[in-house]
Amino acid sequence: MTPRVVHSSLHGRACRGKKGAMKSVAASTILGIGHYVPSKVVTNDDLAKLMSTSDEWIQQRTGIKERRYIEHSGIGASDLALPAVKMALEHAGLASEKDVDAIVFATLSPDHNFPGSGCFLGHKLGLPGVPALDVRNQCSGFLYGLSIADAWVRGGVYRHVLLVGAEVHSTGIELADRGRDVAVLFGDGAGAAIIGPATDPDQGLRSIKLHADGSGAKDLWLEAPASAYVPRLTKEMMDEGKHFPAMNGKQVFRWATEKMPEVSRAVLEEAKISAGDIDLFVPHQANLRINQLVCQKLGIPESKAVANIEKYGNTTAATIPLGLSEAWREGRCRRGSNVLMAAFGSGYTWGAAVLKL
Ligand code: UT7
């Protein structure tokens, strides 16, 4: 990480000095955060009416009690993001959407195949001309996006980056026996953060590390439609359920419980912070058992870890901002708190970050 010297003369869309040259910033931080979940609650018992599963199986294996689904057709990831963005802007003390200089949108369930959900969101926010980048890194998407936002802010490219993680899973899972292993896990939701220059030299992102290993790509994937196939989607493929996500759950579980502690230790070491100094741990919410094991391996008490999977299930790219937003509002962290974030998911992709709020 670069030395922590904070430049106080930032102004304009990008961080520019007096002669208009880009001006770098010592550190970026989360200026504000927000979240949103749709109102429709779907319990384990509701799912048991659609497939052979039970509240007992789901709770024992995953910790999930219920999740949220969009109320009706026509609500995309960018729609779920909107209220979360408003909350994040207010939290950051920014006057309006016009203060957003760039959008990074992490999702595996974009509104449409293309263009990216960031473009839809920018239009809904009334931000013509503001760049919008979609990140396709599944459960690690928010951390990948954070790394990009941090580089833009520190490099003086953009001052306020709107970083979103939002997903609509309910329209893409198979709510029947064949899809039950995946279907019970996922829910809809959104989180948003405003990433900008840290004003206190002691504040900001201390370390972030990202990884990927495509050898596990097919352990959690959605096979079709696929540009590799002619045509991309057929009735036969649909009959075989190739347009629904498929997962080798045991394998993903093994990797997650190994890689999340490993990358967390690496960022703690780089940030020169011990696990004992962490005030709040925000792990990706894929399975309560995974996070209990990760806490155990890192020596972080579970009381310091966000665990909202019982209410929302797995919302992939949204879990970390959703968890941090709730925890901040519950008073579990404040300015000056040391926060560790970690994720593992499809790709495989994984990562972790340490930040002093
Ligand atoms: O965020 C993305 C990353 N994803 C993850 O991190 C997920 C990681 N994996 C997991 O969390 C776990 O592997 C699961 C929760 C998905 C599954 O738990 P498991 O202990 O690995 O169960 P399993 O897949 O070995 O299945 C055990 C049994 C099987 O039946 P048999 O073969 O023992 O007769 C499954 O067919 O449970 C059955 N099963 C179900 N039963 C009731 C699978 N899904 C269900 C279900 N309800 N929904």
Side-chain angles (χ1 to χ4, degrees):
M1 305 290 292
T2 49
R4 346 207 102 238
V5 182
V6 174
H7 299 270
S8 54
S9 59
L10 301 170
H11 55 87
R13 277 218 165 260
C15 309
R16 288 177 191 280
K18 278 189 182 138
K19 288 183 180 158
M22 295 293 190
K23 205 157 187 199
S24 64
V25 169
S28 78
T29 195
I30 295 178
L31 299 177
I33 194 148
H35 67 277
Y36 176 76
V37 289
S39 60
K40 185 174 168 187
V41 177
V42 177
T43 64
N44 294 342
D45 286 334
D46 292 332
L47 292 184
K49 290 174 196 148
L50 305 171
M51 61 189 86
S52 330
T53 192
S54 66
D55 180 46
E56 192 192 358
W57 191 97
I58 300 171
Q59 280 207 49
Q60 263 181 16
R61 304 271 171 154
T62 71
I64 300 167
K65 292 183 180 167
E66 58 190 40
R67 72 286 292 141
R68 303 295 181 97
Y69 284 2
I70 54 165
E71 296 84 0
H72 54 81
S73 178
I75 300 173
S78 69
D79 297 301
L80 294 190
L82 270 176
V85 173
K86 306 249 176 215
M87 198 191 248
L89 283 165
E90 206 180 298
H91 193 214
L94 295 184
S96 83
E97 294 82 355
K98 306 290 176 217
D99 289 317
V100 170
D101 303 313
I103 299 168
V104 179
F105 200 118
T107 186
L108 68 71
S109 52
D111 301 42
H112 299 279
N113 266 344
F114 72 84
S117 287
C119 293
F120 286 104
L121 178 64
H123 179 61
K124 285 167 189 167
L125 289 170
L127 295 174
V130 169
L133 171 72
D134 266 40
V135 169
R136 295 289 306 275
N137 286 78
Q138 303 70 248
C139 307
S140 315
F142 185 80
L143 292 180
Y144 270 76
L146 180 59
S147 173
I148 295 162
D150 169 60
W152 277 348
V153 171
R154 277 194 300 117
V157 182
Y158 300 112
R159 183 180 168 90
H160 294 134
V161 180
L162 167 60
L163 171 58
V164 171
E167 306 281 3
V168 174
H169 282 298
S170 57
T171 52
I173 46 179
E174 189 171 25
L175 295 166
D177 283 359
R178 185 176 60 179
R180 67 178 181 172
D181 59 331
V182 172
V184 299
L185 304 177
F186 292 99
D188 304 341
I194 307 294
I195 312 300
T199 47
D200 182 328
D202 196 31
Q203 223 185 10
L205 190 67
R206 297 293 178 86
S207 173
I208 183 160
K209 290 186 185 292
L210 308 171
H211 297 279
D213 184 340
S215 68
K218 295 182 181 178
D219 282 339
L220 179 47
W221 73 326
L222 188 114
E223 190 177 348
S227 63
Y229 300 150
V230 184
R232 292 183 175 188
L233 184 66
T234 61
K235 169 141 189 338
E236 290 69 35
M237 287 181 211
M238 290 183 76
D239 289 344
E240 290 170 43
K242 289 185 174 176
H243 59 308
F244 292 120
M247 180 173 70
N248 178 348
K250 285 212 181 303
Q251 191 69 351
V252 177
F253 193 101
R254 264 195 292 275
W255 274 71
T257 50
E258 186 190 320
K259 294 302 179 189
M260 281 169 70
E262 189 180 287
V263 68
S264 297
R265 281 191 205 103
V267 290
L268 290 171
E269 194 183 323
E270 187 172 76
K272 298 186 173 55
I273 290 176
S274 76
D277 294 328
I278 292 300
D279 301 304
L280 184 74
F281 178 32
V282 192
H284 169 54
Q285 307 284 308
N287 186 320
L288 188 62
R289 289 189 299 137
I290 291 179
N291 290 349
Q292 286 167 340
L293 277 165
V294 172
C295 282
Q296 222 177 68
K297 287 187 177 187
L298 289 172
I300 294 178
E302 278 176 45
S303 57
K304 287 190 177 178
V306 167
N308 59 12
I309 192 168
E310 69 170 39
K311 293 189 289 183
Y312 306 130
N314 182 349
T315 56
T316 46
T319 60
I320 290 182
L322 176 49
L324 180 58
S325 177
E326 278 199 336
W328 205 327
R329 284 171 174 84
E330 286 162 7
R332 295 181 68 190
C333 62
R334 57 193 63 80
R335 283 273 163 237
S337 296
N338 287 318
V339 175
L340 170 67
M341 299 173 262
F344 182 90
S346 160
Y348 297 129
T349 59
W350 65 100
V354 178
L355 184 118
K356 194 176 179 78
L357 284 181

XYZ file of all heavy atoms in Angstrom, residues 106 142 165-167 189-191 315-323:
105
model
N -21.368 -5.139 -9.276
C -21.020 -6.561 -9.181
C -22.305 -7.387 -9.109
O -23.144 -7.169 -8.231
C -20.175 -6.805 -7.933
N -18.030 -8.208 -4.942
C -17.922 -6.940 -4.210
C -16.461 -6.628 -3.913
O -16.020 -5.487 -4.026
C -18.745 -6.987 -2.913
C -18.772 -5.666 -2.191
C -19.621 -4.647 -2.600
C -17.936 -5.437 -1.103
C -19.630 -3.409 -1.945
C -17.936 -4.211 -0.447
C -18.791 -3.198 -0.863
N -23.363 -4.308 -5.077
C -23.491 -5.753 -5.213
C -24.980 -6.048 -5.152
O -25.624 -5.729 -4.138
N -25.560 -6.583 -6.211
C -27.018 -6.804 -6.214
C -27.355 -8.043 -7.019
O -26.737 -8.298 -8.052
C -27.743 -5.592 -6.796
N -28.338 -8.787 -6.539
C -28.690 -10.045 -7.207
C -30.188 -10.308 -7.156
O -30.835 -10.079 -6.131
C -28.023 -11.244 -6.494
C -26.525 -11.142 -6.326
C -25.705 -11.478 -7.577
O -26.297 -11.752 -8.641
O -24.472 -11.460 -7.459
N -31.279 -9.619 -3.136
C -30.932 -8.500 -2.254
C -29.871 -7.623 -2.879
O -29.291 -7.972 -3.916
N -29.623 -6.484 -2.228
C -28.658 -5.531 -2.768
C -27.935 -4.786 -1.664
O -28.482 -4.568 -0.581
C -29.371 -4.523 -3.668
N -26.699 -4.415 -1.956
C -25.937 -3.540 -1.068
C -25.196 -2.540 -1.936
O -24.914 -2.819 -3.109
N -26.889 -14.142 -1.019
C -27.196 -13.130 -2.045
C -25.925 -12.790 -2.842
O -25.769 -11.660 -3.323
C -27.800 -11.851 -1.414
O -26.885 -11.352 -0.420
C -29.133 -12.133 -0.746
N -25.031 -13.740 -2.953
C -23.737 -13.630 -3.675
C -23.074 -12.257 -3.541
O -22.618 -11.919 -2.469
C -23.844 -14.089 -5.140
O -24.990 -13.536 -5.716
C -23.946 -15.585 -5.249
N -23.014 -11.475 -4.626
C -22.232 -10.221 -4.583
C -22.772 -9.224 -3.563
O -22.084 -8.269 -3.197
C -22.199 -9.582 -5.964
N -24.007 -9.437 -3.101
C -24.612 -8.474 -2.170
C -24.305 -8.793 -0.708
O -24.519 -7.937 0.164
C -26.120 -8.430 -2.374
N -23.809 -10.002 -0.411
C -23.745 -10.389 1.018
C -22.868 -9.454 1.836
O -23.235 -9.102 2.964
C -23.222 -11.834 1.209
O -21.909 -11.941 0.650
C -24.142 -12.868 0.606
N -21.712 -9.065 1.303
C -20.778 -8.264 2.119
C -21.319 -6.843 2.362
O -21.404 -6.417 3.520
C -19.346 -8.291 1.533
C -18.768 -9.710 1.727
C -18.467 -7.242 2.195
C -17.349 -9.903 1.243
N -21.739 -6.098 1.315
C -22.285 -4.768 1.621
C -23.573 -4.819 2.442
O -23.795 -3.961 3.314
C -22.527 -4.148 0.238
C -22.563 -5.291 -0.721
C -21.662 -6.341 -0.148
N -24.384 -5.838 2.210
C -25.626 -5.994 2.988
C -25.292 -6.247 4.463
O -25.876 -5.640 5.369
C -26.420 -7.159 2.378
C -27.721 -7.673 2.963
C -28.696 -6.564 3.258
C -28.370 -8.652 1.996
N -24.316 -7.106 4.691
C -23.930 -7.429 6.065
C -23.284 -6.256 6.767
O -23.589 -5.958 7.925
